[in-house]
Coordinates of all heavy atoms in Angstrom, one line a residue:
I1 N -6.2 4.2 5.3 CA -5.8 4.6 3.9 C -6.4 3.4 3.1 O -5.9 2.3 3.1 CB -4.3 4.7 3.8 CG1 -3.8 5.9 4.6 CG2 -3.9 4.9 2.3 CD1 -2.3 6.1 4.6
G2 N -7.4 3.8 2.3 CA -8.0 2.8 1.5 C -7.7 2.9 0.0 O -7.4 4.0 -0.5
H3 N -7.7 1.7 -0.7 CA -7.4 1.6 -2.1 C -6.2 2.5 -2.5 O -6.4 3.4 -3.3 CB -8.7 2.0 -2.9 CG -8.5 1.7 -4.4 ND1 -8.7 0.4 -4.9 CD2 -8.2 2.4 -5.5 CE1 -8.4 0.4 -6.2 NE2 -8.2 1.6 -6.6
T4 N -5.1 2.2 -2.0 CA -3.9 2.8 -2.5 C -3.1 1.7 -3.3 O -3.1 0.6 -3.0 CB -3.0 3.3 -1.3 OG1 -1.9 4.0 -1.8 CG2 -2.5 2.2 -0.4
H5 N -2.6 2.1 -4.5 CA -2.1 1.2 -5.4 C -0.8 0.6 -4.9 O -0.1 1.1 -4.1 CB -1.9 1.9 -6.8 CG -3.2 2.3 -7.4 ND1 -3.2 3.2 -8.5 CD2 -4.4 1.9 -7.2 CE1 -4.5 3.4 -8.9 NE2 -5.2 2.6 -8.1
N6 N -0.5 -0.6 -5.5 CA 0.7 -1.4 -5.1 C 1.7 -1.2 -6.2 O 1.5 -1.5 -7.4 CB 0.2 -2.9 -5.0 CG 1.3 -3.8 -4.6 OD1 2.5 -3.4 -4.4 ND2 1.0 -5.1 -4.6
E7 N 2.9 -0.9 -5.8 CA 4.0 -0.7 -6.7 C 4.3 -1.9 -7.5 O 4.8 -1.8 -8.6 CB 5.3 -0.3 -5.8 CG 6.5 -0.1 -6.6 CD 7.7 0.2 -5.7 OE1 8.0 -0.7 -4.9 OE2 8.3 1.2 -5.8
R8 N 4.0 -3.1 -7.0 CA 4.4 -4.4 -7.6 C 3.4 -4.9 -8.6 O 3.6 -6.0 -9.2 CB 4.7 -5.4 -6.6 CG 6.0 -5.0 -5.8 CD 6.4 -6.0 -4.8 NE 7.6 -5.6 -4.1 CZ 7.8 -5.7 -2.8 NH1 6.9 -6.1 -2.0 NH2 8.9 -5.3 -2.3
T9 N 2.3 -4.2 -8.8 CA 1.3 -4.6 -9.8 C 0.9 -3.4 -10.7 O 1.1 -2.3 -10.3 CB 0.0 -5.2 -9.2 OG1 -0.7 -4.2 -8.4 CG2 0.3 -6.4 -8.2
W10 N 0.3 -3.7 -11.8 CA -0.1 -2.7 -12.7 C -1.5 -2.2 -12.4 O -2.3 -2.9 -12.0 CB 0.0 -3.2 -14.2 CG -0.5 -2.2 -15.2 CD1 0.3 -1.2 -15.8 CD2 -1.8 -2.0 -15.7 NE1 -0.4 -0.4 -16.6 CE2 -1.7 -0.9 -16.6 CE3 -3.0 -2.7 -15.5 CZ2 -2.8 -0.5 -17.3 CZ3 -4.1 -2.3 -16.2 CH2 -4.0 -1.2 -17.1
S11 N -1.7 -0.9 -12.7 CA -3.0 -0.3 -12.5 C -3.2 0.7 -13.6 O -2.3 1.4 -14.0 CB -3.1 0.4 -11.1 OG -4.3 1.1 -11.0
P12 N -4.5 0.9 -14.1 CA -4.7 1.9 -15.1 C -4.4 3.3 -14.8 O -4.1 4.1 -15.6 CB -6.2 1.8 -15.4 CG -6.6 0.4 -14.9 CD -5.7 0.1 -13.8
S13 N -4.4 3.6 -13.5 CA -4.1 5.0 -13.0 C -3.1 4.9 -11.8 O -3.5 5.0 -10.7 CB -5.3 5.8 -12.6 OG -6.1 5.0 -11.7
H14 N -1.9 4.5 -12.1 CA -0.9 4.0 -11.2 C -0.5 5.0 -10.1 O -0.4 4.7 -8.9 CB 0.3 3.5 -11.9 CG 1.0 2.4 -11.2 ND1 0.4 1.3 -10.7 CD2 2.4 2.2 -11.0 CE1 1.3 0.5 -10.2 NE2 2.5 1.0 -10.3
G15 N -0.3 6.3 -10.4 CA 0.2 7.3 -9.5 C 1.6 7.0 -9.1 O 2.4 6.5 -9.9
Q16 N 2.0 7.3 -7.8 CA 3.4 7.0 -7.3 C 3.3 6.1 -6.1 O 3.5 6.5 -5.0 CB 4.1 8.3 -7.0 CG 4.2 9.3 -8.1 CD 3.0 10.3 -8.1 OE1 2.5 10.7 -7.1 NE2 2.6 10.7 -9.3
P17 N 2.9 4.8 -6.4 CA 2.6 3.9 -5.2 C 3.9 3.3 -4.6 O 5.0 3.5 -5.2 CB 1.8 2.8 -5.9 CG 2.4 2.7 -7.3 CD 2.7 4.1 -7.7
L18 N 3.8 2.7 -3.5 CA 4.8 2.0 -2.8 C 4.5 0.5 -2.7 O 3.4 0.1 -2.9 CB 5.1 2.6 -1.4 CG 5.3 4.1 -1.2 CD1 5.5 4.5 0.2 CD2 6.6 4.5 -2.0
S19 N 5.5 -0.3 -2.3 CA 5.2 -1.6 -1.9 C 4.5 -1.7 -0.5 O 4.5 -0.7 0.2 CB 6.5 -2.4 -1.9 OG 7.3 -1.9 -0.9
H20 N 4.1 -2.9 -0.1 CA 3.4 -2.9 1.2 C 4.5 -2.7 2.3 O 4.2 -2.1 3.3 CB 2.7 -4.3 1.4 CG 3.6 -5.5 1.4 ND1 4.3 -6.0 2.5 CD2 4.0 -6.3 0.3 CE1 5.0 -7.1 2.2 NE2 4.8 -7.3 0.9
E21 N 5.8 -3.1 2.1 CA 6.8 -2.7 3.0 C 7.0 -1.2 3.1 O 7.2 -0.7 4.2 CB 8.1 -3.4 2.7 CG 8.1 -4.9 2.7 CD 7.9 -5.5 1.3 OE1 7.3 -4.8 0.4 OE2 8.3 -6.6 1.0
G22 N 7.0 -0.6 2.0 CA 7.2 0.9 1.9 C 6.1 1.6 2.7 O 6.3 2.5 3.4
Y23 N 4.8 1.2 2.4 CA 3.7 1.8 3.1 C 3.8 1.6 4.7 O 3.6 2.5 5.5 CB 2.4 1.2 2.7 CG 1.9 1.7 1.3 CD1 1.7 0.8 0.3 CD2 1.8 3.1 1.0 CE1 1.2 1.2 -1.0 CE2 1.4 3.5 -0.2 CZ 1.1 2.6 -1.2 OH 0.7 3.1 -2.5
A24 N 4.2 0.4 5.1 CA 4.3 0.1 6.5 C 5.3 1.0 7.2 O 5.1 1.5 8.3 CB 4.7 -1.4 6.8
E25 N 6.4 1.3 6.5 CA 7.5 2.1 7.1 C 7.1 3.6 7.2 O 7.9 4.4 7.9 CB 8.8 1.9 6.3 CG 9.4 0.5 6.5 CD 10.7 0.4 5.7 OE1 11.1 1.4 5.0 OE2 11.2 -0.8 5.7
L26 N 6.0 4.0 6.6 CA 5.6 5.4 6.8 C 5.1 5.7 8.2 O 5.2 6.9 8.6 CB 4.5 5.7 5.8 CG 4.8 5.6 4.3 CD1 3.6 5.8 3.4 CD2 5.9 6.7 3.9
F27 N 4.7 4.7 8.9 CA 4.0 4.9 10.2 C 5.1 4.8 11.3 O 5.8 3.9 11.3 CB 2.9 3.9 10.4 CG 1.7 4.1 9.5 CD1 1.7 3.7 8.2 CD2 0.6 4.8 9.9 CE1 0.7 3.9 7.3 CE2 -0.5 5.0 9.1 CZ -0.4 4.6 7.8
E28 N 5.1 5.8 12.2 CA 6.1 5.9 13.2 C 5.5 5.7 14.6 O 6.2 5.2 15.5 CB 6.8 7.2 13.2 CG 7.6 7.3 11.9 CD 8.5 8.6 11.9 OE1 8.4 9.4 12.9 OE2 9.2 8.8 10.9
T29 N 4.2 6.0 14.9 CA 3.7 6.0 16.2 C 2.6 4.9 16.4 O 2.3 4.5 17.5 CB 3.1 7.3 16.6 OG1 2.0 7.7 15.8 CG2 4.1 8.4 16.5
I30 N 2.0 4.4 15.3 CA 1.0 3.4 15.4 C 1.3 2.3 14.3 O 1.5 2.6 13.2 CB -0.5 4.0 15.1 CG1 -0.7 5.2 15.8 CG2 -1.5 2.9 15.4 CD1 -2.1 5.9 15.5
E31 N 1.4 1.1 14.8 CA 1.7 0.0 13.8 C 0.5 -0.3 12.9 O -0.6 -0.5 13.4 CB 2.1 -1.3 14.6 CG 2.5 -2.4 13.7 CD 2.9 -3.7 14.4 OE1 2.9 -3.6 15.7 OE2 3.2 -4.7 13.8
P32 N 0.7 -0.3 11.6 CA -0.4 -0.5 10.7 C -0.5 -2.0 10.4 O 0.4 -2.8 10.5 CB 0.1 0.2 9.4 CG 1.6 0.1 9.4 CD 2.0 0.1 10.9
R33 N -1.7 -2.4 9.9 CA -2.0 -3.7 9.4 C -2.4 -3.5 7.9 O -3.3 -2.6 7.7 CB -3.1 -4.4 10.1 CG -3.2 -5.9 9.7 CD -4.2 -6.7 10.5 NE -3.8 -6.8 11.9 CZ -4.4 -7.6 12.8 NH1 -5.4 -8.4 12.3 NH2 -4.1 -7.7 14.0
I34 N -1.9 -4.2 7.0 CA -2.1 -4.0 5.6 C -2.9 -5.2 5.0 O -2.5 -6.3 5.2 CB -0.8 -3.8 4.8 CG1 -0.1 -2.6 5.4 CG2 -1.1 -3.5 3.3 CD1 1.2 -2.2 4.8
F35 N -3.9 -4.9 4.2 CA -4.8 -5.9 3.6 C -4.8 -5.8 2.1 O -4.8 -4.7 1.6 CB -6.3 -5.7 4.1 CG -6.5 -5.7 5.6 CD1 -6.3 -4.6 6.3 CD2 -6.9 -6.9 6.2 CE1 -6.4 -4.6 7.7 CE2 -7.1 -6.9 7.6 CZ -6.8 -5.7 8.3
G36 N -4.8 -7.0 1.4 CA -5.0 -7.0 0.0 C -6.5 -6.7 -0.2 O -7.4 -7.3 0.4
E37 N -6.8 -5.8 -1.2 CA -8.2 -5.4 -1.3 C -9.0 -6.5 -1.9 O -10.2 -6.5 -1.7 CB -8.2 -4.1 -2.2 CG -9.6 -3.5 -2.3 CD -9.6 -2.1 -2.9 OE1 -9.1 -1.2 -2.3 OE2 -10.1 -2.0 -4.0
A38 N -8.4 -7.4 -2.7 CA -9.2 -8.5 -3.3 C -9.9 -9.3 -2.3 O -11.1 -9.7 -2.5 CB -8.3 -9.4 -4.1
G39 N -9.3 -9.6 -1.1 CA -9.9 -10.4 -0.1 C -11.1 -9.6 0.5 O -12.1 -10.2 0.8
L40 N -10.9 -8.4 0.7 CA -12.0 -7.5 1.3 C -13.2 -7.5 0.3 O -14.3 -7.5 0.7 CB -11.5 -6.1 1.6 CG -10.3 -6.1 2.6 CD1 -9.8 -4.6 2.8 CD2 -10.7 -6.6 4.0

């Protein structure tokens, strides 16, 4: 899942984002790793 917005920062087209903890909890069978896009 690429370029999904972060609930804790502002974006011009925000949508309905989650925090990184919220995104991690969506996954039940495969553990995710989450990256800040700025470093990439």
